[in-house]
Amino acid sequence: MFHLILTISLIWAIPHFEQESSDKIEPEVLLDSLISKSEKYLYSEWDSAYSYLSKADSLSRLLEEENKTGQIANLFGTLYYVEGDYVESIRYYSIANEIFTKTQDEAGLSYALNGRGLIYLSQNELEKAIEIFNRCIEINKKLGDTYGVGRNYFNRSIGESDLGQFENAHRSIDLALEYLSEHQDRVIFTMTLNRAGKIYFDEGKLEESEKYYKRVLDYPGELSNWAKAFANTGLAEIQIARGNPQKALELGEIAQESVTKTRGFWDKGRLSKAMMTANEQLGQFESAYEHSRLYKSYSDSLYNENKNAEISYLQLLLANAENQDLLQKKELAESNAEFNKKFTFILILALIGLIIGFVLYGRVIKQKEKINKVLLEKQKEIQVQNEKLETINEEKNKLFSILSHDLKAPINSVKQLLELDENGLLDEDEQKTVRKLLIKQVSDTDDMLRKLLRWSHAQLDGILTKRTSTDLSEVVKEQVDQLGYQTVSKNISIDSSLVFDNIQVLVDPQQLRIVLQNCLQNSIKFSNPDSNIKLWNSSHENDDYINLHIKDEGIGITEEKLKEISSQVVRVKSTEGTQKEKGTGLGLLLVRQFMEKNQGAISIQSTPNEGTEIILSFEKINTLKENIDS
């Protein structure tokens, strides 16, 4: 009997369905095709959508496809909502809600819930509607349904716009367009563009509104009658607002051609109101009256007390059903809690037995744990000793790096002088000058080497910072004097006359020499020939500190290189000087580390092709203090 009924149903449905092949159509395939057809005409051809949905509903019930029946009920709810029959709409959404609650289909429940939100919009209960749409958005995001999320944001924008929350409405409609960007072939995409135009119109922004309506009319795909009617009616409203009633009537006539093909009372009422206003402004009161009568008729079809009462009753039934479901869940939770109590009691008894067993077992292995503890402590001691040795080894490596780095520049200077003399490039007077420079350079290097060796000998167990009261100007003068050859070879002058005399700072003297030596050598390295380097002091924002500035007129440092220097804790890649001088990249690393060890600070300011300024900040003292080890 069932097969006979199913066969009759298929025979009834197939003549109205466009077959793509001559093969026999499976019932499930036919059902999906009928649903797809109904969705296509949902917003454009009411009668066609209704016909396909009716056939699909009969077939799904014969096939006992509950989820399909629920899906069809949701589509019926939307169809009646588009027409403005909110009572029938909520009835179908209620059927879908009941089915999907039973089958636990979250996608179907979300669609039905979205429909309830639309009904709340029709009753002007906007806050409730927005709350429901927010719930739908969460569900559809979790399901990954971009079409559903876009539809929910579209509906939420309506409520926000009606509440005058235009900023929120714009945000919602923009999100709707973003989620629907991959569904531009579906009717809701042009609906969303129309809604964006309506929001701008309600906000009083006519130009922005007009752009969106025209964007709808310029849509490259197939445009529904509903979309055409909404956009042209919107353009008519804009012309009325601009004081162009004649143009508004022309646009209204165009909209009339499309709106008559739809069964949406809301759209017909909106157009009638626009036509009424335009005729009234033109003094055509007879036509204005006729459209006024139509507007009232459509409004009465949408809203009356009996309909609203029935809708409210159906909404209440749905809410009671949800509450009943929550109550059942609560009872189930209480039953589970009682079971959990009993299970917990049994579990506690089992745990007590296990604890007793562990205690007995613990006594057996207690001695073993003591032995392991002693071994672990010994292992930790060995590990600490290894770490100390590694640290000392690292400090020694750094010490050798400092010695080699600080000796490199003076040795290169001596080498260059000797090469000039060897190649016969110097006359007799220049040879005398070079010999004096050689003697001075060797003497300065010897003095520097002795100081470095004395200092390095004291650091063999690791580099220590011994801060003492040190005359900053004296050390500056000493380091400037040692750079005679480098300055002469580039014809660079170093002006330290503005460095304050007798400024006592709290610093390790030898580390201060290394810091100044590296900073000055870098300034010379990157300075152009025949330029100046200036040194001076300035007050620090903290009275306990004083600044030493070293500024050159060299090639400067790029912004990218400055970021690299300030962000890295290892050496940076060295850049060639103005006369192809090579470097190791170690200098700035030592400067940063020694300034930190001496509780000072360094900052670098530079502009490419204009020069670089290094600012060193030292803690100053007024009287001699005892040595401070850190």
Side-chain angles (χ1 to χ4, degrees):
M1 184 64 179
F2 171 77
H3 292 292
L4 177 61
I5 294 172
L6 181 57
T7 303
I8 293 171
S9 174
L10 290 174
I11 292 171
W12 169 69
I14 288 173
H16 300 278
F17 176 71
E18 297 176 5
Q19 291 177 278
E20 296 181 356
S21 71
S22 60
D23 296 335
K24 183 179 178 181
I25 300 177
E26 294 294 330
E28 292 80 4
V29 176
L30 177 60
L31 178 59
D32 289 337
S33 299
L34 288 169
I35 293 173
S36 177
K37 287 285 184 181
S38 68
E39 286 183 310
K40 178 181 179 182
Y41 297 112
L42 198 60
Y43 297 98
S44 55
E45 296 182 21
W46 197 96
D47 292 331
S48 297
Y50 180 83
S51 174
Y52 283 118
L53 282 175
S54 298
K55 294 177 177 61
D57 186 51
S58 299
L59 185 55
S60 68
R61 293 181 186 278
L62 285 172
L63 295 172
E64 297 181 350
E65 290 276 359
E66 280 193 292
N67 275 349
K68 296 292 184 183
T69 303
Q71 183 183 355
I72 293 164
N74 270 332
L75 294 174
F76 264 125
T78 302
L79 185 65
Y80 278 109
Y81 175 80
V82 170
E83 185 186 27
D85 190 342
Y86 301 137
V87 175
E88 283 300 305
S89 177
I90 192 63
R91 280 203 180 100
Y92 274 104
Y93 283 133
S94 301
I95 293 170
N97 186 82
E98 183 179 351
I99 291 172
F100 289 124
T101 299
K102 178 182 175 183
T103 62
Q104 294 296 302
D105 187 312
E106 284 192 317
L109 278 171
S110 174
Y111 195 111
L113 187 63
N114 181 77
R116 288 176 59 191
L118 292 173
I119 303 302
Y120 276 126
L121 284 180
S122 73
Q123 293 183 291
N124 209 34
E125 296 188 40
L126 305 176
E127 289 83 359
K128 284 185 179 179
I130 290 171
E131 181 183 346
I132 284 181
F133 295 140
N134 286 334
R135 287 168 59 189
C136 292
I137 288 169
E138 291 179 8
I139 294 170
N140 286 322
K141 280 185 176 180
K142 185 175 69 174
L143 295 173
D145 181 3
T146 56
Y147 176 75
V149 175
R151 186 178 67 245
N152 300 146
Y153 275 123
F154 166 81
N155 291 331
R156 191 176 80 175
S157 73
I158 300 174
E160 291 167 338
S161 177
D162 289 348
L163 284 170
Q165 300 172 359
F166 295 116
E167 186 176 346
N168 291 340
H170 284 305
R171 188 180 302 114
S172 294
I173 209 70
D174 288 342
L175 286 168
L177 288 170
E178 180 181 337
Y179 277 98
L180 294 171
S181 61
E182 56 189 78
H183 305 285
Q184 295 188 25
D185 57 328
R186 304 185 74 164
V187 176
I188 195 169
F189 183 75
T190 51
M191 290 172 64
T192 307
L193 293 175
N194 267 327
R195 173 50 54 182
K198 185 68 168 64
I199 293 170
Y200 276 116
F201 178 80
D202 292 342
E203 196 178 3
K205 297 180 178 179
L206 303 184
E207 289 187 7
E208 290 84 348
S209 175
E210 187 176 39
K211 288 178 183 177
Y212 274 97
Y213 286 140
K214 287 184 176 179
R215 186 175 168 188
V216 172
L217 296 175
D218 292 336
Y219 178 67
E222 183 180 352
L223 200 60
S224 68
N225 289 319
W226 183 90
K228 294 175 187 176
F230 196 106
N232 282 306
T233 303
L235 291 173
E237 289 175 332
I238 290 171
Q239 292 303 322
I240 291 171
R242 288 174 174 170
N244 300 323
Q246 185 59 46
K247 182 64 176 175
L249 283 179
E250 294 172 7
L251 290 165
E253 292 297 333
I254 296 172
Q256 188 70 47
E257 296 175 8
S258 301
V259 82
T260 53
K261 298 176 183 178
T262 70
R263 292 185 57 166
F265 289 125
W266 186 88
D267 300 292
K268 293 177 179 179
R270 175 173 173 242
L271 178 58
S272 296
K273 183 179 179 182
M275 297 290 278
M276 174 190 73
T277 305
N279 277 295
E280 191 175 34
Q281 289 180 0
L282 290 169
Q284 300 172 2
F285 298 110
E286 186 176 343
S287 295
Y289 173 76
E290 180 62 24
H291 285 292
S292 173
R293 187 184 61 78
L294 288 172
Y295 174 63
K296 185 176 185 305
S297 173
Y298 294 136
S299 297
D300 289 343
S301 297
L302 286 170
Y303 309 105
N304 62 61
E305 291 185 6
N306 291 333
K307 279 189 175 182
N308 282 332
E310 192 170 357
I311 291 169
S312 298
Y313 175 71
L314 291 170
Q315 292 276 27
L316 180 61
L317 289 179
L318 277 172
N320 288 337
E322 287 183 348
N323 290 337
Q324 188 65 30
D325 184 51
L326 290 173
L327 183 61
Q328 290 177 356
K329 289 180 179 178
K330 181 182 176 184
E331 291 175 352
L332 180 62
E334 290 175 351
S335 175
N336 288 336
E338 184 64 27
F339 172 78
N340 288 336
K341 284 182 181 178
K342 294 178 181 179
F343 179 76
T344 303
F345 179 73
I346 296 171
L347 185 62
I348 290 172
L349 291 178
L351 285 173
I352 291 173
L354 285 172
I355 290 170
I356 294 173
F358 278 124
V359 169
L360 294 174
Y361 178 73
R363 290 178 179 177
V364 174
I365 64 170
K366 190 174 182 180
Q367 190 63 35
K368 182 179 178 181
E369 287 180 350
K370 288 182 179 180
I371 296 172
N372 288 339
K373 186 177 180 180
V374 172
L375 291 173
L376 184 61
E377 288 176 354
K378 292 293 184 183
Q379 185 179 359
K380 287 181 179 179
E381 289 178 6
I382 294 170
Q383 185 176 353
V384 169
Q385 290 175 355
N386 287 338
E387 290 175 354
K388 286 182 178 179
L389 288 172
E390 288 178 2
T391 301
I392 291 172
N393 190 48
E394 288 178 0
E395 295 292 342
K396 286 181 178 179
N397 289 339
K398 189 184 294 183
L399 197 60
F400 289 134
S401 297
I402 293 169
L403 290 170
S404 62
H405 183 270
D406 287 353
L407 287 172
K408 184 176 182 180
I411 289 174
N412 280 340
S413 299
V414 173
K415 179 183 175 185
Q416 290 173 6
L417 289 171
L418 291 173
E419 285 176 348
L420 289 173
D421 187 45
E422 177 69 19
N423 293 329
L425 298 175
L426 303 175
D427 57 27
E428 188 173 344
D429 291 335
E430 287 175 336
Q431 288 177 355
K432 290 179 182 180
T433 302
V434 165
R435 280 195 291 272
K436 289 180 181 180
L437 286 173
L438 272 173
I439 293 169
K440 185 177 184 307
Q441 186 68 63
V442 172
S443 177
D444 289 344
T445 304
D446 178 60
D447 184 57
M448 180 185 70
L449 183 58
R450 281 188 286 105
K451 290 177 181 177
L452 280 172
L453 287 173
R454 282 201 304 272
W455 176 74
S456 61
H457 181 72
Q459 312 297 315
L460 287 176
D461 292 328
I463 295 177
L464 300 175
T465 299
K466 196 169 187 180
R467 300 171 68 209
T468 62
S469 178
T470 304
D471 189 328
L472 180 60
S473 60
E474 183 180 316
V475 179
V476 168
K477 185 177 182 303
E478 171 190 315
Q479 294 306 309
V480 169
D481 289 344
Q482 289 182 358
L483 297 170
Y485 172 73
Q486 288 96 317
T487 58
V488 169
S489 63
K490 279 190 169 184
N491 196 25
I492 292 172
S493 66
I494 301 180
D495 182 5
S496 60
S497 61
L498 295 178
V499 176
F500 298 158
D501 291 333
N502 300 321
I503 291 293
Q504 298 293 320
V505 293
L506 197 58
V507 68
D508 184 303
Q510 188 56 40
Q511 290 181 4
L512 173 61
R513 290 185 180 94
I514 293 171
V515 167
L516 291 176
Q517 184 181 77
N518 280 286
C519 290
L520 288 168
Q521 286 180 355
N522 272 348
S523 292
I524 295 171
K525 176 181 175 182
F526 296 111
S527 286
N528 294 309
D530 304 316
S531 61
N532 300 311
I533 297 174
K534 293 182 180 180
L535 286 77
W536 73 93
N537 290 120
S538 69
S539 298
H540 193 274
E541 59 184 10
N542 184 342
D543 289 339
D544 293 333
Y545 283 78
I546 188 168
N547 296 328
L548 174 64
H549 300 255
I550 303 173
K551 180 173 177 58
D552 62 58
E553 300 171 353
I555 60 176
I557 306 172
T558 62
E559 185 177 348
E560 292 77 12
K561 196 70 174 179
L562 275 176
K563 288 180 181 178
E564 182 184 2
I565 291 169
S566 61
S567 64
Q568 295 206 11
V569 293
V570 295
R571 71 173 69 182
V572 297
K573 184 178 180 180
S574 177
T575 306
E576 287 187 348
T578 54
Q579 291 186 345
K580 305 299 182 182
E581 299 98 322
K582 303 291 186 179
T584 63
L586 182 65
L588 280 177
L589 175 63
L590 294 174
V591 170
R592 284 202 308 271
Q593 291 181 349
F594 283 155
M595 289 302 293
E596 289 174 3
K597 284 177 176 290
N598 285 276
Q599 299 180 23
I602 177 174
S603 65
I604 303 175
Q605 301 172 0
S606 184
T607 303
N609 301 319
E610 291 185 14
T612 301
E613 181 179 347
I614 300 175
I615 305 171
L616 304 171
S617 301
F618 301 99
E619 183 179 356
K620 67 179 180 179
I621 53 177
N622 295 321
T623 59
L624 293 175
K625 296 182 180 180
E626 294 182 359
N627 293 354
I628 299 176
D629 294 335
S630 61

